[in-house]
Amino acid sequence: MMASLEAFHFLRPVWLLCLVPLAVLWIMARPRKAARDIDTADIAPHLAAALRVGGTGARRILPVDGVAVGLALLALAAAGPSWSRIPNPLVSETAPLVVALKVTESMETRDLAPSRLDRARFKILDLVDARAGARTALIAYAGSAHRVSPLTEDPNILRPLLDGLSPAVMPKPGDDPSAALALALEISATADTPGAILMVLDDFNPAAVANFKSPDDVPLPPIVMLVSLPNGQVPAQLDRVAGVTVVPLSADDSDLKRIERTLRSAYKAALLNDERLKWQDRGGWLLWPAAVLALLWYRRGWTMRWTMVVLLAGSLQLPSAGMAEGWQDWFLTPDQQARLAYEDKDYARAATLFEDPMWRGHAQMRAGQYADAAETFADLDTADAAFAEGLSRIRNRQYRPGARAFEKALERQPDFPAAATNRDIAWAIVAYVETAQEQSDTGEEHGIGADEIVYDNETQRGTDTSIEAPSENSAPQTAQQWIDSIDTDMGDFLRSRFLLEQTGAAR
């Protein structure tokens, strides 16, 4: 709240000058109370009261007062009050989160059913589900810290990885939260928006307290520590860690709501400090009280004759085309209605209302209409549109066209680090998929309709085979089913990967 008050300003302050002549006109137009000297000494009190027109008290609020206040509100609205920035449509509207999960033998204690580690897994998954569309990365740490998953918006990626984590897969025993913090900061630095760090643990190594102090030149991002202990217990050493928010694990969602509030505050603070984003005009909020004041002009004794003329002239200026159906047509443009639907996470409706093609494409992408979004972005000639097209095609599993879209973005804007990074990742995915197909394409018949899975294999890597699925009571496997059919234990995979990372770091 304090940050919003400090950021409050007017986008068009010149309109505030209208308040000066408005105040002068109001003073001149407001009638003053006329003195009435009536001799009522010889008149009965009840008759004397009836002779006083309007009673003894003066009317405190006059029609001109309502007009002055309404016009003042319109002047303030035209000045453009603002205290927040417009989020980038290509970036999630929630701060990215890096989750560092402690994976040690103490986390397998069963004082929390079924265990501290299992309860921590459940909480992380609940948090990811609640942050639908937001990016989350996962780190596992014990005596060393290892990246389990990069920042991703897909909770289905995190589920099997979380299930595969256990103390047995960690290459080095111990408790080193400092290593987890360093790796979390490294991952956070790759995000377009400053985010937060969530550490899920049952105990904290006191030797790491000094590493959690924020340097003067580079402040640390918001850090939340979710303590997986029974009965809301909190380790005493966490009192020595300054600047972190400690949240005890609870049986309900109160701990998750507290974490979400911290993340929202971090996201709003990041937006205020991002000079690349435009300020959001909040003047529209002042139109509603001005409209309520206008309704008072129709009361008996309040009507001002020129009011109808002003309203009639204003109604002639209302746009009659391009409006969506409903009462909102009188007050909001299609893009404004679409923006409200977008903020309510009704992305499908927003996609149908947006006239701005960039926003329409992003709403389509959020609604899961990746093919339509890619076509919308492809019709635009900006680097941001090409970048968004690449994201849409990657999510639609069109890896090679996605890589080419990122290359198109670099052609339009050579200095585009995000496009260069995503291009390299997309080409790496293409190479990985084609290599996997080459190794698994043996021509043996396993009942898998492999011809139904297309990964843009333009280089013709792998053996050309045609495998027909059984025609009765069966269907070709989807890409997700094909991935699930790979006979590899997730724990073995993580153990091997962490061991290789640890061996490489030790050299």
Side-chain angles (χ1 to χ4, degrees):
M1 179 63 70
M2 291 302 299
S4 297
L5 291 177
E6 293 176 358
F8 180 85
H9 67 287
F10 290 97
L11 301 177
R12 298 172 294 274
V14 68
W15 281 94
L16 297 177
L17 296 176
C18 296
L19 296 176
V20 177
L22 178 61
V24 174
L25 292 175
W26 173 71
I27 294 174
M28 295 175 60
R30 196 176 197 277
R32 291 169 176 78
K33 178 182 177 182
R36 296 185 180 91
D37 296 329
I38 302 176
D39 187 5
T40 59
D42 298 331
I43 304 176
H46 65 283
L47 296 177
L51 292 175
R52 296 189 181 95
V53 179
T56 57
R59 180 187 290 177
R60 296 182 180 180
I61 302 178
L62 301 176
V64 69
D65 299 334
V67 174
V69 174
L71 293 177
L73 290 173
L74 293 179
L76 293 173
S82 178
W83 56 86
S84 61
R85 294 184 184 270
I86 301 176
N88 186 345
L90 297 178
V91 179
S92 175
E93 295 191 13
T94 307
L97 177 66
V98 181
V99 180
L101 174 62
K102 182 180 178 183
V103 186
T104 60
E105 293 182 356
S106 64
M107 288 289 287
E108 292 191 317
T109 305
R110 298 185 178 275
D111 51 0
L112 273 177
S115 71
R116 297 178 183 177
L117 184 59
D118 288 330
R119 288 290 293 273
R121 287 194 188 100
F122 300 152
K123 283 293 181 181
I124 293 174
L125 290 175
D126 290 343
L127 180 62
V128 172
D129 290 337
R131 286 165 35 88
R135 292 166 295 168
T136 306
L138 180 62
I139 293 173
Y141 79 94
S144 58
H146 301 273
R147 186 196 315 255
V148 180
S149 169
L151 289 169
T152 178
E153 298 179 4
D154 189 355
N156 295 322
I157 294 178
L158 297 178
R159 254 185 211 96
L161 294 172
L162 277 169
D163 292 339
L165 288 176
S166 67
V169 308
M170 305 305 294
K172 183 179 179 181
D175 181 8
D176 191 359
S178 299
L181 175 63
L183 183 54
L185 293 175
E186 179 183 337
I187 296 175
S188 297
T190 63
D192 298 326
T193 304
I197 298 173
L198 172 66
M199 302 193 70
V200 186
L201 43 77
D202 61 344
D203 200 1
F204 187 81
N205 189 348
V209 172
N211 295 324
F212 280 75
K213 292 183 179 179
S214 177
D216 296 334
D217 52 345
V218 183
L220 294 176
I223 300 176
V224 182
M225 293 191 176
L226 179 61
V227 181
S228 183
L229 287 176
N231 303 321
Q233 301 178 43
V234 175
Q237 54 267 35
L238 287 181
D239 296 336
R240 299 166 50 192
V241 185
V244 303
T245 302
V246 180
V247 180
L249 189 143
S250 63
D252 55 12
D253 293 338
S254 59
D255 49 358
L256 299 182
K257 293 178 180 179
R258 187 175 175 186
I259 294 173
E260 289 177 359
R261 287 197 297 267
T262 303
L263 298 180
R264 282 196 296 268
S265 299
Y267 178 70
K268 292 179 180 178
L271 287 183
L272 292 178
N273 297 325
D274 193 344
E275 299 294 338
R276 300 170 299 175
L277 302 177
K278 295 181 180 180
W279 290 98
Q280 189 167 9
D281 190 344
R282 302 285 187 173
W285 291 12
L286 297 177
L287 299 180
W288 295 105
V292 173
L293 288 174
L295 294 177
L296 296 176
W297 297 344
Y298 294 94
R299 291 185 58 199
R300 183 184 298 274
W302 281 69
T303 305
M304 301 183 68
R305 296 178 180 178
W306 51 267
T307 301
M308 290 301 298
V309 178
V310 173
L311 293 178
L312 180 60
S315 64
L316 295 178
Q317 303 298 321
L318 290 175
S320 58
M323 291 289 189
E325 297 181 357
W327 63 269
Q328 294 179 331
D329 301 349
W330 291 89
F331 305 100
L332 302 175
T333 66
D335 280 340
Q336 290 171 335
Q337 296 179 46
R339 180 64 184 177
L340 292 177
Y342 186 91
E343 291 177 351
D344 290 338
K345 299 187 184 302
D346 190 356
Y347 302 120
R349 181 171 178 269
T352 62
L353 292 175
F354 269 124
E355 292 183 344
D356 185 293
M358 195 69 182
W359 276 101
R360 182 171 66 251
H362 185 66
Q364 290 170 336
M365 186 165 59
R366 284 297 187 89
Q369 304 169 6
Y370 301 128
D372 294 337
E375 295 301 325
T376 301
F377 291 129
D379 293 336
L380 304 177
D381 57 358
T382 64
D384 288 337
F387 180 77
E389 178 191 353
L391 294 178
S392 301
R393 296 196 183 279
I394 290 296
R395 294 183 182 183
N396 202 31
R397 301 197 178 195
Q398 296 177 320
Y399 302 117
R400 191 180 296 274
R404 289 172 177 164
F406 293 132
E407 290 180 344
K408 182 167 57 176
L410 289 172
E411 291 175 1
R412 296 173 179 175
Q413 182 181 331
D415 184 16
F416 202 153
T421 301
N422 282 274
R423 175 202 59 188
D424 297 340
I425 294 175
W427 283 124
I429 293 175
V430 171
Y432 172 79
V433 170
E434 292 179 353
T435 300
Q437 283 184 326
E438 180 178 325
Q439 294 175 350
S440 63
D441 221 350
T442 60
E444 297 179 2
E445 191 166 333
H446 296 289
I448 300 176
D451 289 343
E452 299 299 324
I453 304 173
V454 179
Y455 287 102
D456 303 314
N457 189 2
E458 296 182 0
T459 56
Q460 303 301 322
R461 297 179 62 176
T463 305
D464 288 337
T465 59
S466 177
I467 303 174
E468 297 182 358
S471 57
E472 297 181 359
N473 300 325
S474 63
Q477 285 189 339
T478 64
Q480 185 63 42
Q481 291 172 334
W482 178 74
I483 292 174
D484 294 340
S485 66
I486 299 176
D487 187 15
T488 303
D489 181 76
M490 185 58 69
D492 294 338
F493 167 74
L494 292 174
R495 183 188 303 108
S496 301
R497 205 183 86 187
F498 293 167
L499 185 59
L500 288 174
E501 292 176 359
Q502 185 66 19
T503 304
R507 291 179 180 176

